[in-house]
């Protein structure tokens, strides 16, 4: 079963505007971590932001923030003041932390291709 | 500080040839992961190491694939013999602990003709 769902294959945004990239997840484990990575056309995977399931506040890193809604199982990435260099593929990922278990695999969504228009 | 280093960045080879991909993790990171990215299957974990010991290789597709980590600063992923369906981008990532953020290398784009 798919554990990470990114419903937007592609998104467009005007430079300097904010954009929200959607991510929903599925887990029965109460302890988990959520990550966002950026993959520009050059191919590298760049870590952006992390949210733990027990974190009380939404994570923020510069222009990136995570809109974490635990009850809805969503962890949307918000990019404020978009820049041309933000054009890239964005991946949401989750890692479950089974109590006493050993499966810590990072599961990725299929990604959202963001294009920032000048 | 240097991030995860991978070499080569691009590899083109012919079917049947042996391919070796290399990775140097971030210094001090105890965990190293090998991933494969394809359009069809997305990002898949192949294997990961803890303190140079392979822990979970259930993602390794076939016996043609093997991975080693002879020391804390070097790992290899070998494909022998290579096949066209192995064409993909192979990433190496490392983390301090198993539950910590994984930092990825730039990847190796492999093309098997």
């Amino acid at each position: 079963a798919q554990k990470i769902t990114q419903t937007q294959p592609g998104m467009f945004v005007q430079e300097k505007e904010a954009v929200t990239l959607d991510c929903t997840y599925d887990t029965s484990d109460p302890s988990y971590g959520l990550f966002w990575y950026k993959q520009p056309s050059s191919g590298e995977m760049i870590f952006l932001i992390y949210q733990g399931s027990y974190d009380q506040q939404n994570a923020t890193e510069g222009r990136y923030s995570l809109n974490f809604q635990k009850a809805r199982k969503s962890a949307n990435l918000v990019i404020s003041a978009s820049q041309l260099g933000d054009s890239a593929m964005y991946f949401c990922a989750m890692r479950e932390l089974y109590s006493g278990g050993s499966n810590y695999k990072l599961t990725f969504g299929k990604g959202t291709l963001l294009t920032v228009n000048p | 500080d240097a991030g995860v280093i991978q070499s080569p960045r691009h590899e083109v080879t012919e079917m049947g040839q042996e391919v070796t991909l290399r990775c140097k993790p971030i210094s001090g990171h105890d965990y190293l992961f090998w991933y494969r990215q394809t359009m069809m299957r997305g990002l898949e974990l192949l294997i990961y190491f803890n303190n140079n010991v392979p822990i979970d290789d259930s993602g390794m597709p076939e016996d043609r694939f093997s991975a080693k980590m002879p020391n804390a600063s070097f790992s290899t992923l070998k494909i022998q013999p290579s096949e066209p369906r192995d064409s993909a981008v192979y990433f190496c990532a490392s983390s301090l602990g198993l539950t910590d953020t994984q930092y990825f290398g730039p990847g190796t784009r492999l093309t098997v003709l």
Side-chain angles (χ1 to χ4, degrees):
Chain A
Q2 188 174 2
K3 293 187 174 181
I4 296 287
T5 303
Q6 294 182 254
T7 57
Q8 306 152 316
M11 286 283 286
F12 293 88
V13 65
Q14 288 297 123
E15 194 177 8
K16 299 180 184 179
E17 292 185 352
V19 63
T20 298
L21 306 183
D22 294 343
C23 173
T24 57
Y25 58 90
D26 181 30
T27 180
S28 56
D29 196 306
S31 182
Y32 50 90
L34 296 156
F35 303 80
W36 278 91
Y37 287 85
K38 172 185 178 181
Q39 187 174 38
S41 58
S42 52
E44 68 268 33
M45 291 284 287
I46 303 167
F47 165 69
L48 295 178
I49 195 168
Y50 167 80
Q51 178 85 44
S53 59
Y54 292 119
D55 292 344
Q56 294 298 312
Q57 294 186 327
N58 287 344
T60 60
E61 287 287 347
R63 295 186 299 112
Y64 304 108
S65 62
L66 208 152
N67 184 2
F68 181 46
Q69 298 187 44
K70 195 170 183 177
R72 297 180 61 184
K73 294 187 177 178
S74 73
N76 299 337
L77 177 70
V78 180
I79 306 174
S80 62
S82 297
Q83 301 172 357
L84 296 178
D86 294 335
S87 294
M89 184 72 84
Y90 288 81
F91 291 94
C92 179
M94 179 181 70
R95 181 179 53 227
E96 296 166 322
L97 306 175
Y98 297 121
S99 300
S102 60
N103 186 354
Y104 296 99
K105 290 183 180 179
L106 197 58
T107 303
F108 288 84
K110 294 187 180 300
T112 296
L113 181 61
L114 176 67
T115 302
V116 181
N117 295 317
Chain B
D1 291 339
V4 176
I5 299 171
Q6 290 187 248
S7 64
R9 292 295 307 276
H10 302 274
E11 177 79 32
V12 180
T13 190
E14 293 187 345
M15 184 173 63
Q17 296 297 306
E18 177 180 295
V19 175
T20 299
L21 311 181
R22 296 172 177 79
C23 174
K24 176 180 170 57
I26 294 171
S27 179
H29 282 193
D30 289 335
Y31 288 83
L32 183 141
F33 307 81
W34 281 101
Y35 289 88
R36 177 172 69 174
Q37 184 181 36
T38 61
M39 288 295 293
M40 290 295 295
R41 300 173 68 90
L43 272 155
E44 304 173 279
L45 178 65
L46 300 178
I47 185 171
Y48 80 88
F49 295 81
N50 176 26
N51 291 327
N52 316 335
V53 176
I55 302 300
D56 184 351
D57 65 355
S58 59
M60 296 286 263
E62 299 172 33
D63 291 344
R64 299 183 295 106
F65 286 69
S66 62
K68 294 182 179 180
M69 193 165 184
N71 58 63
S73 59
F74 183 66
S75 177
T76 60
L77 178 67
K78 186 177 294 186
I79 308 173
Q80 166 63 19
S82 57
E83 296 183 3
R85 60 190 167 129
D86 301 331
S87 296
V89 179
Y90 291 81
F91 286 102
C92 176
S94 70
S95 64
L96 272 172
L98 185 55
T99 60
D100 292 318
T101 299
Q102 294 179 24
Y103 294 91
F104 284 71
T108 295
R109 182 174 296 276
L110 173 65
T111 302
V112 183
L113 303 174

